[in-house]
Amino acid sequence: MNNSFFSKFTPKEPKFFPLLKGIVEIIKSASNLMLEFVEKGNHINAADYYRKIKEEERKGDTLSNKIFDELNSTFITPFDREDIHNLANKMDDVTDYINSAAKKIFLYNPKEMPVAAKDMVELIMEASVQIEKAVNELDVLKKSRERVSEYCSELHLIENKADDVYEHFLIDLFENQKDSIELIKKKEIMFELEKATDAAESVGKIIKTIIVKYA
């Protein structure tokens, strides 16, 4: 007599899908802003870029909280409540880490951005595309199981590429950066960006769990 049994007889609430898609749009917006930040940021415009990214992060928190409230007030959900909650939170984490990186750039004001920062942000943007594809097909999961699974596999591959970028960045940083303060600044900024790709991969893992249960 669980949720899946009742779902055979009771219409599911579709409102979660637009909310999840809203979080995807926020990830995309935040990552686009971050790409501009690492390419064009300086001590004059850093505060403005950070403010814009922070606004996206707050929008993401609002949607994540909205999903939590809806889970508490909805009788029948399209998937397990815990899976929906975990998915929304992990998607929101991607934006949170982007915001954390932007904050560190603003506060630390590095003399120059690592070249690898652009590579990492572009991987975050690639991940956001795969997340968007997967989320857009969650409401027809039984028909799109293989495609959604492929999107999740792509997220894993992107995270592997991000690990390579981060490792090569660290090797270069410790070999060539003589200013210890700048070394710490750059390392912490890149660490936050790398965590964003980790969070994106975790989104894929949660969606794969949903596939196993429902598709």
Side-chain angles (χ1 to χ4, degrees):
M1 302 294 286
N2 57 20
N3 188 51
S4 61
F5 174 83
F6 284 114
S7 66
K8 297 177 182 178
F9 307 100
T10 310
K12 301 183 185 72
E13 288 285 355
K15 55 193 168 187
F16 295 101
F17 300 118
L19 292 172
L20 291 170
K21 290 176 183 178
I23 297 178
V24 172
E25 291 302 315
I26 288 167
I27 295 172
K28 291 170 60 181
S29 178
S31 58
N32 285 333
L33 285 167
M34 178 55 80
L35 184 61
E36 285 187 28
F37 198 2
V38 299
E39 288 182 325
K40 303 175 183 178
N42 53 54
H43 70 282
I44 296 173
N45 61 24
D48 189 46
Y49 274 116
Y50 173 51
R51 177 184 56 78
K52 291 177 181 178
I53 292 171
K54 183 65 178 178
E55 287 174 0
E56 296 302 313
E57 189 263 345
R58 286 172 176 161
K59 291 177 187 176
D61 287 345
T62 298
L63 284 183
S64 184
N65 291 333
K66 175 69 173 175
I67 288 174
F68 179 77
D69 292 340
E70 293 291 353
L71 286 171
N72 285 330
S73 61
T74 302
F75 181 55
I76 296 297
T77 57
F79 309 116
D80 282 350
R81 296 170 195 276
E82 183 178 359
D83 289 333
I84 296 172
H85 184 254
N86 288 341
L87 179 58
N89 280 348
K90 191 54 66 175
M91 289 168 62
D92 189 46
D93 282 349
V94 179
T95 307
D96 287 345
Y97 287 127
I98 294 171
N99 178 69
S100 293
K103 182 177 182 179
K104 289 184 184 299
I105 296 172
F106 167 60
L107 293 177
Y108 295 171
N109 189 26
K111 293 178 181 177
E112 61 181 11
M113 287 300 300
V115 174
K118 179 182 176 183
D119 297 332
M120 192 69 80
V121 175
E122 288 176 343
L123 288 170
I124 296 171
M125 295 173 73
E126 286 183 32
S128 72
V129 171
Q130 299 304 318
I131 293 172
E132 180 178 37
K133 290 178 180 179
V135 169
N136 283 347
E137 297 196 42
L138 283 180
D139 56 345
V140 289
L141 192 55
K142 291 185 181 298
K143 297 179 181 179
S144 59
R145 171 180 180 149
E146 291 186 5
R147 287 196 303 274
V148 174
S149 182
E150 288 176 3
Y151 305 147
C152 295
S153 296
E154 282 297 317
L155 287 169
H156 175 67
L157 294 176
I158 290 168
E159 197 277 332
N160 284 343
K161 291 179 184 178
D163 282 346
D164 289 341
V165 169
Y166 187 60
E167 288 170 6
H168 284 96
F169 157 75
L170 290 177
I171 292 171
D172 180 72
L173 183 70
F174 285 106
E175 284 184 352
N176 299 306
Q177 181 56 253
K178 306 306 180 184
D179 186 329
S180 58
I181 301 299
E182 286 297 305
L183 184 149
I184 293 170
K185 291 178 180 180
K186 293 178 179 179
K187 184 176 181 295
E188 290 198 12
I189 291 166
M190 285 292 292
F191 182 59
E192 296 299 326
L193 293 175
E194 198 274 334
K195 286 198 292 185
T197 64
D198 287 343
E201 184 194 24
S202 295
V203 170
K205 290 178 179 178
I206 295 169
I207 293 175
K208 279 191 171 182
T209 299
I210 293 172
I211 291 173
V212 170
K213 290 182 180 179
Y214 292 92

